[in-house]
Amino acid sequence: MNDTLLLAIGTCPPGACTKIQTIGNWITWVAAWAAGVAFVISGAILCWAYFSGHGSNRAMKALGGACIGSIIISAASTLANALIL
C-alpha cells in the first residue's frame, strides 16, 4: 500500500530518477538537434526555391513545421522536467 502511495506522490525508487533524467536529457538534445537540422534544411529549400524561380509554398510549409516542432519540443521538455522534479 505504501509503495503505491509513494509512486502516486511522485518519488522515484533509489537510483531510478537519475537514469530517467539522463534518458530524458538525451531525448531532448536529440530532438533539439533534429529541429535545428530541420531549420537548416527548410532554409536550403527556401533558398533553392527563390533562386530557381519556383514557388516557395513547400519551403514555407517546411519552415512552419520546423517552428511548430521546436515549440512542441520545448513545451514537452519543460513539462517532463516539471513532472520529474
Side-chain angles (χ1 to χ4, degrees):
M1 179 78 175
N2 287 339
D3 294 333
T4 307
L5 181 62
L6 287 175
L7 288 175
I9 292 173
T11 58
C12 295
C17 280
T18 57
K19 293 177 184 177
I20 292 170
Q21 287 176 341
T22 302
I23 292 170
N25 288 338
W26 273 98
I27 291 171
T28 302
W29 277 106
V30 168
W33 182 82
V37 169
F39 273 113
V40 171
I41 290 173
S42 63
I45 292 171
L46 188 61
C47 183
W48 177 77
Y50 176 75
F51 285 116
S52 67
H54 297 349
S56 61
N57 190 23
R58 178 179 172 212
M60 294 308 287
K61 286 181 182 179
L63 188 60
C67 289
I68 291 171
S70 60
I71 289 170
I72 290 172
I73 290 167
S74 64
S77 64
T78 303
L79 181 64
N81 284 333
L83 291 176
I84 289 174
L85 299 176

